[in-house]
Amino acid sequence: MKITFLGTGTSMGVPMIACPCEVCRSTDPKDKRTRSSVKIEIDDKVLVVDSGPDFRQQMLSSNTVVLDAILYTHEHKDHTAGLDDVRAFNWINKQPTYLFGELKVLNSLKQEFAYAFKDEDEKYPGVPELILHEIDEQSFQLFEIPVIPIRVYHNRMPVLGFRIGNFSYVTDASSISEDNMKKLKGSEVLVINALRQKEHVAHFNLEQALEVVASIAPATAYLTHISHHLGFHSEISKILPDNVFLAYDGLEIEILNF
C-alpha cells in the first residue's frame, strides 16, 4: 500500500490569504499546505480521501492519472469543493468515479453539484460521471478492499475516519469514543489532525493529538490538517516524539504489511 499526502493544511490552507505571519511567509516548501487529502494506492486501485478546493492542483502535483473512488469524511467545503474536476478522469479513463459517503454527505454533494445528478436526458454534456455508494459506521468492501469507518466528532458534527488494513486516517476530529479508539488500535500507521498548539473547539490541538497517538501506540504517526498557528514545520518537528512526524504535501510512504 502506498500513501501520498496530497494536502495537509486546514480549511484556509497555508499560507492563508492576506496573512502576514511568519509561517505564511515561510520559504520552506513544507510550510506550504493545501487542503487535507490523501491518495491510497493498493495494487491497481487508486483511492482518494476527500476532494477539497485544491483537488486539481493535487492531482497534477502527484501525477495521478487514474482515480477509481473517493471516500468522504464529511461535507464541509474544504473536503468536497473540487469534485467537478473528476471529469478529467472520466474522459481519460473512460469510467465513472465511485463516491463513498454517509447519506448526509451524498445529499450535500447532490445539492452542491446538482448539474451532475440530473436525469440523463437533462444532463449537460461533459458533466462528471459519478456513482454514489452510501456508507455508515459498518465495515464495507471497496473493490474487495476492506474498509472500517471510524466515527469521530468535529465539535458536535459526526465525521468519518477510515481504517484500511494497517493504515488509519482521521481528520477534523475533536473527540473519539473509546469504542472507536479500539478500532484504531493495532494500526501500523496513524494519521491524525493537529490544528494548532492552542485548544480549539472542533479540532485536536497538538497536545491532544499526541495523547491519541500515545493511546493508540502505532509504529508511526503523522499529523495533518495543520494551520499556520501550529508553527514552522522545522521547529515543531524537533519537539515531537520519535515515532511522530508532521506530514507535508507530497510526502509518500509505503506500508508493506497491509
Side-chain angles (χ1 to χ4, degrees):
M1 180 193 304
K2 180 180 177 181
I3 307 297
T4 303
F5 288 85
L6 301 171
T8 57
T10 189
S11 58
M12 291 188 179
V14 185
M16 188 178 80
I17 292 172
C19 180
C21 81
E22 291 184 339
V23 174
C24 285
R25 289 182 293 147
S26 170
T27 58
D28 184 348
K30 292 180 180 177
D31 287 323
K32 311 295 185 187
R33 302 183 183 278
T34 59
R35 270 60 74 96
S36 292
S37 178
V38 290
K39 179 171 68 171
I40 303 168
E41 297 174 78
I42 302 173
D43 297 328
D44 63 341
K45 296 301 180 184
V46 180
L47 321 174
V48 165
V49 179
D50 293 332
S51 59
D54 305 305
F55 179 79
R56 177 181 177 276
Q57 176 186 343
Q58 292 168 347
M59 295 297 95
L60 292 170
S61 298
S62 61
N63 194 32
T64 302
V65 296
V66 173
L67 176 64
D68 295 295
I70 303 174
L71 289 163
Y72 282 102
T73 59
H74 64 299
E75 63 269 33
H76 279 167
K77 279 289 194 179
D78 56 317
H79 295 262
T80 65
L83 177 59
D84 183 79
D85 283 318
V86 303
R87 50 201 174 103
F89 292 110
N90 300 152
W91 299 342
I92 298 296
N93 302 149
K94 296 180 171 53
Q95 66 181 32
T97 304
Y98 292 83
L99 309 182
F100 292 77
E102 294 187 272
L103 180 61
K104 66 188 180 74
V105 178
L106 300 184
N107 285 340
S108 177
L109 294 176
K110 285 192 278 189
Q111 179 179 357
E112 297 296 331
F113 300 93
Y115 58 88
F117 297 100
K118 289 186 175 182
D119 293 336
E120 288 300 324
D121 59 348
E122 296 181 355
K123 274 188 181 180
Y124 187 83
V127 299
E129 297 176 46
L130 308 169
I131 297 178
L132 305 183
H133 287 269
E134 181 184 344
I135 61 175
D136 52 26
E137 296 182 47
Q138 301 301 310
S139 300
F140 64 95
Q141 296 281 324
L142 195 167
F143 307 124
E144 300 184 353
I145 300 166
V147 180
I148 302 173
I150 310 294
R151 169 65 71 215
V152 303
Y153 282 88
H154 185 24
N155 191 8
R156 290 175 291 182
M157 180 182 190
V159 169
L160 287 181
F162 298 102
R163 178 169 180 171
I164 301 176
N166 285 321
F167 173 73
S168 292
Y169 182 81
V170 175
T171 186
D172 287 58
S174 56
S175 66
I176 309 175
S177 70
E178 282 302 315
D179 285 344
N180 282 282
M181 288 284 281
K182 290 176 183 176
K183 294 179 182 179
L184 294 169
K185 296 212 174 194
S187 298
E188 180 179 335
V189 175
L190 171 67
V191 180
I192 188 83
N193 60 295
L195 185 73
R196 63 190 193 187
Q197 298 197 50
K198 185 179 177 181
E199 288 191 9
H200 188 274
V201 67
H203 293 273
F204 289 133
N205 68 356
L206 179 59
E207 180 181 2
Q208 292 164 336
L210 292 178
E211 288 174 356
V212 173
V213 172
S215 179
I216 301 302
T220 310
Y222 294 90
L223 306 181
T224 193
H225 209 288
I226 293 164
S227 82
H228 58 163
H229 293 297
L230 184 64
F232 293 107
H233 184 281
S234 59
E235 295 300 318
I236 299 301
S237 295
K238 295 175 184 176
I239 64 173
L240 297 177
D242 290 343
N243 67 325
V244 182
F245 303 89
L246 285 185
Y248 55 87
D249 290 22
L251 172 64
E252 298 179 354
I253 61 174
E254 296 270 0
I255 301 177
L256 301 179
N257 300 317
F258 173 74

